[in-house]
């Protein structure tokens, strides 16, 4: 990307100017210095933890007096840090360096377990389909730091539940275990999976009782203190848990992962679960992907490859996209041999509106919220972009208008029976968080006034007056980014009519793997092919810090 392709923000420019004013450079040098700093600031906001430098830029930065090279694991308190050919803003160098240091220390702590194979034989039968899960469990039982990665349906949660039981059996005293995920939706899914899998464990009821079912978000686990970036738990006030499990770890950014590692008490174990091929975090870094390929961590990483849930065309499509085989992927979509994967040949808005009939009818019939929520959650439109043609905003508006024309909803006010919303702003006091989905409907228990109902991670239902709900958006359609951690029986993937930088193979792979039964696509072949061929390339130094 050239400077002409970048849209530097006012903050990028102000930060660069603030630093250049503290140099003794002549005007030409200041201009060159500001260009480098603006680029570093811009790229950090695009998800990169650093930028690459050539020799001339490195020399100029060191001459500024505002940049220092990283040495002996420490750096002086300068705003810019140079490590090899990489330039960091100091805070992000600190996050990356601290994270690598903590993980290296944990990775060097192994555990010798007697009669482990016999215990594994009890938890995992001798069938070939369970061999990789057994090996993943063996790794986690003998390591303080473990990563279990794999695509959808490969049994990551199923495996980790058995690991928890195994570790509880091996412990002299019951382990204090924390289960966490980046978002409320991901936490809810993990909680459902844990509860379902726990009942089938081949162990005593006492062991089962020591396996928690409550899953929290990482921010709640660490004790977020908004609006500050700090948490209640850190190195000085660590978490009490002996073991922390984090699901959907691909969504965890560099800063949050670094703060999590800082907050672990000495001797604690950490297990990360996730799909390294999914979208990286919205914020800086590609932590799970970097750690999964790190040379020094190969004994701490296990990839589950056999899918027990996905098969047929959905699996073939996901694999083709992941391998960037755009022609094969389009052929799978176009053949029509498998009704599970198709290009949509109906009018987009008519089709989406028709999918809302069941849950809207249930609201009119005064059904219970759980049934209504389940019906709504069966189908979801996933868009690549928030604005523009075929975007989240465009489809939400047009679907509302179509439903109003069909007299299925009443648009006379902002809040109407059946309005589905997604929270876009955290409100810890109300236990509502970015990404939570609710449905506005009459409160049948009380006066029939409109309330917004949400299903919590523990399965309970909470209702709020619309005026109390934090900033939210209508969610007949959502971005693919927001869909991470969710599953739907049917996903309708809608791409724009022109190529843009958001479109990548990771975005498509993530969207495809949200669907359990059916995928439909609205896209031009050229746009789809361009997306499959474009791969996210985040500039980081994390994997390099683990080179042997």
């Amino acid at each position: 990307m050239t400077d002409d392709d970048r849209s530097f923000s006012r903050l990028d420019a102000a930060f660069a100017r603030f630093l250049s004013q503290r140099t003794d450079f002549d005007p030409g040098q200041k201009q060159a210095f500001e260009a480098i700093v603006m680029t570093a600031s811009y790229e950090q906001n695009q998800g990169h933890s650093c930028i690459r430098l050539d020799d001339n830029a490195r020399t100029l930065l060191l001459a500024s007096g505002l940049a220092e090279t990283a040495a002996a694991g420490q750096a002086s308190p300068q705003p810019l840090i140079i490590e090899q050919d990489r330039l960091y803003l100091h805070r992000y160098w600190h996050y990356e360096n601290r994270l690598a240091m903590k993980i290296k220390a944990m990775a060097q702590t192994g555990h010798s377990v007697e009669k482990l194979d016999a215990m594994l034989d009890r938890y995992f039968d001798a069938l070939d389909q369970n061999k990789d899960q057994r090996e993943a469990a063996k790794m986690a039982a003998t390591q303080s730091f473990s990563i279990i990665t794999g695509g959808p349906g490969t049994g990551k949660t199923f495996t980790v539940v058995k690991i928890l039981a195994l570790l509880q059996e091996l412990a002299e005293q019951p382990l204090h275990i924390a289960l966490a995920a980046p978002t409320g939706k991901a936490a809810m899914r993990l909680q459902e999976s844990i509860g379902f899998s726990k009942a089938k464990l081949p162990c005593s009821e006492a062991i089962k009782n020591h396996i928690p079912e409550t899953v929290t978000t990482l921010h709640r686990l660490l004790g977020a203190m908004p609006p500050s970036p700090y948490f209640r738990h850190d190195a000085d006030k660590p978490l009490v848990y002996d073991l922390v499990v984090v699901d959907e770890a691909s969504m965890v950014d560099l800063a949050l992962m670094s703060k999590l590692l800082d907050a672990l008490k000495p001797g604690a174990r950490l297990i990360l679960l996730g799909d390294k091929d999914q979208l990286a975090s919205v914020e800086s870094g590609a932590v799970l992907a970097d750690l999964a390929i790190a040379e020094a961590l190969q004994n701490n990483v296990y990839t589950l490859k056999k899918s027990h849930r996905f098969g047929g065309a959905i699996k073939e499509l996901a694999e083709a996209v992941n391998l960037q085989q755009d022609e094969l992927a389009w052929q799978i979509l176009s053949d029509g041999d498998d009704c599970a994967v198709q290009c949509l040949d109906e009018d987009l808005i008519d089709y989406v509106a028709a999918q809302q009939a069941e849950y809207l009818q249930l609201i009119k019939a005064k059904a219970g919220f759980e049934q209504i929520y389940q019906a709504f959650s069966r189908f979801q439109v996933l868009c690549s972009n928030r604005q523009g043609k075929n975007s989240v905003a465009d489809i939400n508006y047009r679907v509302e208008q179509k439903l109003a024309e069909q007299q299925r909803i009443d648009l006379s006010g902002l809040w109407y029976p059946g309005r589905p919303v997604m929270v876009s702003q955290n409100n810890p006091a109300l236990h509502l968080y970015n990404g939570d989905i609710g449905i506005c409907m009459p409160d049948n228990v009380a006066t029939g006034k409109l309330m917004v109902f949400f299903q919590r991670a523990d399965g309970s239902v909470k209702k709020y007056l619309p005026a109390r709900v934090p900033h939210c958006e209508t969610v007949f359609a959502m971005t693919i980014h927001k869909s991470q951690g969710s599953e739907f029986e049917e996903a309708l993937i809608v791409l724009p009519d022109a190529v843009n930088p958001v479109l990548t193979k990771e975005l498509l792979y993530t969207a495809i793997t949200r669907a359990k039964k059916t995928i439909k696509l609205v896209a031009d072949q050229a746009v789809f092919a361009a997306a499959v061929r474009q791969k996210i390339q985040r500039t980081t130094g994390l994997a390099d810090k683990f080179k042997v």
Side-chain angles (χ1 to χ4, degrees):
M1 183 180 286
T2 66
D3 286 353
D4 291 338
D5 297 323
R6 297 187 180 98
S7 299
F8 294 119
S9 69
R10 293 172 63 186
L11 182 60
D12 297 331
F15 176 59
R17 188 164 54 251
F18 174 80
L19 292 187
S20 73
Q21 290 171 349
R22 281 147 181 81
T23 69
D24 296 325
F25 288 153
D26 61 41
Q29 290 173 313
K30 282 189 175 184
Q31 185 176 4
F33 176 82
E34 287 184 13
I36 298 169
V37 175
M38 276 198 298
T39 299
S41 177
Y42 172 87
E43 296 294 355
Q44 186 269 310
N45 284 313
Q46 302 305 306
H48 307 275
S49 59
C50 55
I51 63 170
R52 300 288 179 180
L53 295 174
D54 59 26
D55 291 340
N56 291 335
R58 178 187 174 94
T59 300
L60 180 67
L61 288 165
L62 290 174
S64 71
L66 297 174
E68 286 286 337
T69 57
Q74 295 183 347
S76 53
Q78 297 293 351
L80 305 174
I81 302 296
I82 298 173
E83 186 172 57
Q84 298 177 7
D85 64 342
R86 302 186 295 270
L87 172 66
Y88 295 83
L89 303 184
H90 186 283
R91 179 185 298 177
Y92 288 88
W93 177 86
H94 172 80
Y95 289 146
E96 194 174 277
N97 199 59
R98 183 81 174 167
L99 177 60
M101 182 179 69
K102 289 282 189 177
I103 291 177
K104 283 179 183 178
M106 292 184 73
Q108 291 169 2
T109 305
H111 301 269
S112 178
V113 183
E114 294 183 7
K115 300 180 180 179
L116 178 58
D117 284 335
M119 296 181 70
L120 289 168
D121 287 342
R122 176 156 47 90
Y123 280 99
F124 298 91
D125 60 41
L127 297 176
D128 286 343
Q129 65 180 5
N130 291 323
K131 278 187 175 179
D132 58 349
Q133 296 176 357
R134 186 184 192 280
E135 290 302 310
K138 187 172 184 177
M139 173 198 70
T142 57
Q143 301 289 345
S144 289
F145 174 75
S146 307
I147 295 175
I148 300 176
T149 183
T154 50
K156 296 184 292 292
T157 306
F158 177 78
T159 303
V160 84
V161 172
K162 293 188 175 185
I163 292 170
L164 298 182
L166 188 68
L167 293 176
Q168 286 287 16
E169 281 199 50
L170 292 168
E172 295 180 4
Q173 298 290 332
L175 297 173
H176 293 288
I177 300 173
L179 306 174
T183 67
K185 287 185 297 180
M188 189 182 300
R189 272 192 57 207
L190 178 60
Q191 186 157 301
E192 290 171 354
S193 298
I194 294 282
F196 177 77
S197 302
K198 196 168 93 166
K200 300 180 178 181
L201 288 172
C203 62
S204 68
E205 289 300 315
I207 294 296
K208 292 180 184 179
N209 291 337
H210 287 302
I211 298 174
E213 292 186 26
T214 301
V215 184
T216 185
T217 63
L218 277 171
H219 282 80
R220 290 188 68 186
L221 176 70
L222 295 173
M225 298 188 293
S228 82
Y230 303 109
F231 293 94
R232 191 170 295 109
H233 293 287
D234 55 21
D236 295 326
K237 190 177 180 182
L239 296 163
V240 299
Y241 300 103
D242 305 302
L243 168 63
V244 176
V245 177
V246 180
D247 195 17
E248 297 289 353
S250 63
M251 299 169 66
V252 184
D253 60 82
L254 174 62
L256 185 56
M257 190 69 81
S258 180
K259 291 174 182 180
L260 171 64
L261 268 291
D262 261 347
L264 296 179
K265 74 177 185 179
R269 294 176 184 245
L270 177 64
I271 300 175
L272 303 180
L273 308 175
D275 186 346
K276 61 182 176 57
D277 296 317
Q278 279 190 36
L279 281 166
S281 56
V282 175
E283 303 296 332
S284 295
V287 177
L288 185 69
D290 284 346
L291 294 177
I293 63 170
E295 288 180 21
L297 294 179
Q298 291 313 294
N299 292 332
N300 303 80
V301 179
Y302 198 92
T303 301
L304 301 175
K305 296 178 180 177
K306 182 177 179 60
S307 178
H308 303 274
R309 186 178 74 223
F310 281 84
I314 292 180
K315 183 180 180 183
E316 290 174 13
L317 180 62
E319 290 177 346
V321 167
N322 198 32
L323 294 172
Q324 297 186 279
Q325 298 170 333
D326 58 285
E327 292 184 4
L328 175 59
W330 188 258
Q331 183 180 341
I332 293 169
L333 283 160
S334 305
D335 280 352
D337 294 338
D338 192 327
C339 61
V341 173
Q342 296 177 335
C343 288
L344 184 70
D345 58 5
E346 305 171 43
D347 178 82
L348 169 61
I349 302 304
D350 285 345
Y351 183 79
V352 176
Q355 304 310 305
Q356 317 307 320
E358 181 184 1
Y359 95 92
L360 289 172
Q361 183 59 41
L362 286 171
I363 290 175
K364 287 184 179 179
K366 299 183 179 181
F369 174 72
E370 292 90 342
Q371 186 181 2
I372 293 168
Y373 185 78
Q374 184 178 14
F376 173 78
S377 302
R378 181 194 64 78
F379 168 85
Q380 185 61 57
V381 181
L382 305 178
C383 302
S384 59
N385 294 76
R386 289 183 55 79
Q387 301 292 334
K389 185 178 179 182
N390 283 354
S391 67
V392 168
D394 177 44
I395 292 175
N396 279 328
Y397 173 77
R398 290 197 284 156
V399 169
E400 277 191 325
Q401 297 302 311
K402 175 63 70 173
L403 291 173
E405 286 175 20
Q406 297 171 345
Q407 298 184 342
R408 293 182 182 175
I409 62 172
D410 179 3
L411 283 181
S412 58
L414 174 63
W415 292 98
Y416 54 83
R419 184 190 179 196
V421 294
M422 174 182 282
V423 175
S424 56
Q425 188 178 74
N426 291 335
N427 189 323
L430 294 178
H431 302 288
L432 290 175
Y433 297 90
N434 189 1
D436 287 351
I437 291 179
I439 297 176
C440 180
M441 50 188 273
D443 184 1
N444 298 326
V445 176
T447 60
K449 63 184 176 183
L450 289 180
M451 303 287 285
V452 188
F453 292 73
F454 292 85
Q455 190 169 41
R456 294 266 183 87
D458 61 4
S460 64
V461 176
K462 188 71 175 176
K463 58 189 177 183
Y464 303 86
L465 287 168
R468 294 193 69 204
V469 176
H471 187 272
C472 59
E473 302 165 352
T474 302
V475 70
F476 291 113
M478 68 173 69
T479 63
I480 296 168
H481 271 95
K482 289 285 191 181
S483 75
Q484 285 181 274
S486 298
E487 281 185 343
F488 313 99
E489 288 187 21
E490 178 182 337
L492 174 60
I493 303 169
V494 182
L495 302 185
D497 54 4
V499 176
N500 64 58
V502 170
L503 297 175
T504 64
K505 68 108 170 177
E506 290 86 357
L507 188 85
L508 282 177
Y509 174 83
T510 300
I512 292 163
T513 54
R514 298 311 90 207
K516 292 192 287 186
K517 294 183 179 178
T518 308
I519 289 170
K520 288 187 168 61
L521 177 78
V522 175
D524 176 79
Q525 182 178 358
V527 173
F528 177 83
V532 175
R533 291 195 293 265
Q534 184 163 284
K535 178 178 170 59
I536 292 175
Q537 297 284 359
R538 286 204 167 170
T539 306
T540 77
L542 185 58
D544 285 349
K545 288 180 168 63
F546 291 92
K547 285 188 174 177
V548 177

